[in-house]
Amino acid sequence: MAAIEPIDIVELGIADAQAGLVLSTEAGWNQNEADWRVFLSHGIVFGVRDSGRLVATAALLPYSAGNAWISMVLVTADSRRRGIATKLVDACLDAAKRRGLTTWLDATPAGATVYGPLGFMPTLQLRRLRLEQPQTDKATRPLSAGSLDALATRDSRAMGFDRSTLLSEFAARPRSRIVSGERAMALVRDGRAARHIGPVLADRADQALGLVDAIVRSESGPWLIDAVHAQDEFLEGLVHAGWNIERPFQRMRFGKAAAAPAQLPFAVAGPEFG
């Protein structure tokens, strides 16, 4: 795609899941094909093609109460620095505006410098952490199967809006688990390269840490988790247990929040889903 050529933005369909996966894999992200199918079947995904090859994407995933998530902003290496990502985000914002949606996203530090001038306001911060295997084989708290309804109710309080459709889709996948223990709940699912834990919801940090510890000792890794930075006791506990911080994310919002969260989660479903 030559720099002087116009950028032709198209709306993608479910048949583009594999092509989207190629882009996110190139970027080293953890999404699998099932994740792409969520965006393509439940959201709006805009893309740019070059000679038939998908070279860029951005997704708008509507939730309830007039909220939506922007994510999967990807441009292949040889098509960058041409303003494509900005135009794709603008397409998502235009689609959200037509539907009266407040949009959210979780940005890398570099992305935050781009989204700020577009009108996005910072809210909370996240830290992505990775664990290959637990440090020791000490005994852990027992795990119980958790209820999807209970998880969705607690997630709604933490987010300020309902995401039961998304959580139900996650829970129905092979190898997904909803687990609970001592007033804490979490969803565990497969990613492309690592198992992902989140959201993690609990009354206290020690409950959340105990549940995460029991999860990672119940099966093999590697593991990823996206912890809320303001939950400092939880974050410090993860690092002490051997988790390594890989990168920060800044949560940002375009428009007014419909409702304030009743209680922050300890970890989120992922920067692509919120």
Side-chain angles (χ1 to χ4, degrees), residues 129-234:
L129 298 96
R130 184 181 181 92
L131 178 71
E132 296 299 328
Q133 291 295 340
Q135 292 175 325
T136 66
D137 293 326
K138 68 178 183 180
T140 61
R141 303 174 185 177
L143 281 173
S144 301
S147 157
L148 175 60
D149 288 342
L151 179 71
T153 297
R154 295 188 74 168
D155 181 77
S156 179
R157 291 201 298 264
M159 294 295 295
F161 51 88
D162 178 74
R163 297 192 301 174
S164 55
T165 300
L166 175 72
L167 297 176
S168 178
E169 198 281 339
F170 283 164
R173 296 181 187 178
R175 285 177 33 89
S176 288
R177 305 163 66 194
I178 297 174
V179 294
S180 64
E182 293 199 22
R183 296 288 301 162
M185 296 192 74
L187 190 146
V188 186
R189 59 187 173 89
D190 275 343
R192 179 186 61 83
R195 294 277 277 167
H196 189 274
I197 304 173
V200 177
L201 306 152
D203 295 335
R204 302 191 312 266
D206 64 311
Q207 297 168 345
L209 286 167
L211 182 62
V212 170
D213 185 65
I215 291 169
V216 301
R217 295 178 192 284
S218 69
E219 55 178 288
S220 59
W223 298 92
L224 291 175
I225 194 169
D226 295 296
V228 174
H229 184 253
Q231 300 282 20
D232 51 353
E233 183 181 346
F234 178 68

Side-chain angles (χ1 to χ4, degrees), residues 31 35 39 61 69 71-72 106 128 189 269-274:
Q31 289 82 20
D35 293 327
F39 294 109
L61 184 62
W69 221 263
S71 59
M72 311 314 291
D106 291 328
R128 166 154 286 192
R189 59 187 173 89
E272 67 273 54
F273 294 110

